[in-house]
Amino acid sequence: MKTKSTGLTLQDLGNKSFTIKTPSNQINLHCLLVACGKSKSGKGFFITNLLHQLKQAGSMDRIFLVSDTAKSNKKMLERLKIDEDDIFPTEDDSCIDEIINRIEKERDDLVEYRERLKLFEQFKSYMEDARFKDLDEITPEMLLFFNPETGEFEKPKHRYNGKKPVIGIFFDDVQSTPIMASKRFRNLAIKARHVGAFDSGETPLGCSLFIAIQNWTSVGQEGVPKSIRGNLTCCAIYKTGNWKELELLTTELSGVIPKNEIMKHYDYVMNVDPKNRHNFLFVDLFPKKEHPSPFRLNYVDFIVDW
């Protein structure tokens, strides 16, 4: 069997991707990450640590949290620097719309900052001498930059100094909640990278999703919706005795990584310390080129071929 060229070529006609710099040993962003494990297995512990590390590295700017138990963990909120206004309960899926609105507000603030910065540069030479001239020479545009408290013309300010904010949404303790059965939630998983689109056609802000869940799939609103399972980029798999669930999970991930490879590495992780229920296999479906493996033990150690 052989091929014969048609003379045609294909090229990327869309926007360049919004490149988010993360440390070389961290995952790519944007991501859709699911941590699946039984109660008290350590899912929240892992995700909060991951978000904290991304924050410290400057790879995560704002975190929205959907949880009914978050406010009881004040120390975690302080470490992740999550504003209280960015915490939402799980019983009302309208929080999805509110989070999207706030991401779009971040986009609007960035656009406004850029526009004001252009004006500032245009009038900068005039503003330097404006206080020594007649007030009639001060234009309305120039007054945009005048601070009456200091009596000075000041450069526009932006919360992230002109940088596109990197945004994450952590869905914690959402088992058996209306969120899991929500159409809004499913749609967000599909279009997360496209949230906060610019009228100019510039690459959208987008957002990353981090979801802690107890069951991969089940009857009603308990498991991970199929639309989310089909858009995963990463998965943390904890110990389970439900082989049918594990079979489905590994089968669905096998579209990217062979099922037998996932199971081989899962067995390895679960037998490193059989009594430790907090061990988990981390599967990165789209690892960086420099990563020696798409598999990790408890996220902190790559699992290399033996």
Side-chain angles (χ1 to χ4, degrees):
M1 188 178 293
K2 60 182 181 179
T3 62
K4 182 178 180 181
S5 174
T6 63
L8 301 173
T9 58
L10 302 178
Q11 58 182 329
D12 188 354
L13 301 177
N15 293 325
K16 291 184 179 180
S17 60
F18 171 19
T19 302
I20 300 173
K21 292 183 179 180
T22 61
S24 61
N25 56 357
Q26 291 284 6
I27 57 174
N28 285 306
L29 299 177
H30 299 99
C31 73
L32 199 171
L33 183 154
V34 170
C36 184
K38 301 306 178 185
S39 178
K40 299 182 180 180
S41 58
K43 305 181 295 298
F45 176 83
F46 159 55
I47 293 178
T48 52
N49 268 269
L50 173 57
L51 290 171
H52 183 248
Q53 290 171 10
L54 292 171
K55 270 260 190 180
Q56 286 188 312
S59 301
M60 182 67 63
D61 297 301
R62 186 175 183 181
I63 301 171
F64 294 97
L65 179 58
V66 181
S67 172
D68 291 326
T69 60
K71 291 186 177 180
S72 64
N73 195 339
K74 186 176 181 180
K75 188 174 182 180
M76 178 195 76
L77 299 179
E78 291 175 349
R79 294 291 294 274
L80 295 181
K81 297 180 180 179
I82 300 177
D83 293 335
E84 285 195 12
D85 288 343
D86 287 341
I87 303 172
F88 300 89
T90 62
E91 71 268 8
D92 186 358
D93 67 346
S94 66
C95 68
I96 302 294
D97 291 337
E98 179 59 28
I99 291 173
I100 292 174
N101 289 338
R102 295 188 187 187
I103 295 174
E104 291 177 342
K105 178 65 167 53
E106 291 282 14
R107 173 207 58 202
D108 294 342
D109 288 347
L110 179 59
V111 170
E112 180 182 358
Y113 167 77
R114 290 172 175 175
E115 292 174 348
R116 294 185 62 165
L117 190 61
K118 288 180 181 178
L119 278 176
F120 179 81
E121 294 300 328
Q122 290 175 8
F123 295 109
K124 187 176 180 180
S125 60
Y126 297 102
M127 289 188 292
E128 289 174 350
D129 299 324
R131 59 181 147 178
F132 304 110
K133 296 183 179 181
D134 294 333
L135 291 177
D136 291 341
E137 296 187 43
I138 300 178
T139 67
E141 290 85 357
M142 294 166 67
L143 287 174
L144 290 172
F145 312 111
F146 183 73
N147 186 337
E149 294 182 1
T150 63
E152 299 288 341
F153 289 92
E154 299 177 355
K155 186 177 180 179
K157 296 179 181 179
H158 179 249
R159 185 176 180 180
Y160 309 106
N161 297 317
K163 169 193 170 187
K164 275 186 173 180
V166 182
I167 297 169
I169 310 175
F170 179 15
F171 294 90
D172 187 28
D173 290 326
V174 291
Q175 187 76 40
S176 302
T177 68
I179 288 288
M180 296 307 294
S182 167
K183 184 178 180 180
R184 291 184 174 101
F185 185 46
R186 297 193 297 270
N187 287 340
L188 177 62
I190 295 170
K191 68 177 185 179
R193 291 186 299 111
H194 306 285
V195 174
F198 292 82
D199 290 338
S200 64
E202 180 182 346
T203 307
L205 293 185
C207 60
S208 294
L209 308 186
F210 304 83
I211 305 168
I213 192 71
Q214 291 183 15
N215 297 305
W216 186 250
T217 183
S218 63
V219 178
Q221 58 189 25
E222 294 187 2
V224 183
K226 188 174 182 180
S227 58
I228 293 176
R229 304 199 310 265
N231 286 279
L232 282 183
T233 61
C234 308
C235 188
I237 310 172
Y238 291 78
K239 187 174 185 178
T240 178
N242 188 336
W243 291 106
K244 287 186 178 180
E245 184 174 71
L246 184 61
E247 174 81 11
L248 176 61
L249 191 161
T250 53
T251 298
E252 292 184 331
L253 297 183
S254 67
V256 181
I257 300 176
K259 180 178 178 179
N260 65 314
E261 284 295 308
I262 300 173
M263 284 302 305
K264 179 176 71 174
H265 288 81
Y266 173 83
D267 289 340
Y268 168 75
V269 167
M270 296 307 143
N271 286 290
V272 167
D273 182 0
K275 294 183 178 180
N276 188 344
R277 67 193 302 268
H278 301 296
N279 282 346
F280 65 91
L281 170 66
F282 185 82
V283 183
D284 189 348
L285 299 179
F286 303 98
K288 296 177 180 177
K289 292 181 180 179
E290 63 266 32
H291 290 177
S293 170
F295 301 106
R296 304 189 193 198
L297 167 61
N298 300 337
Y299 193 75
V300 297
D301 295 312
F302 286 111
I303 305 174
V304 296
D305 289 336
W306 51 80

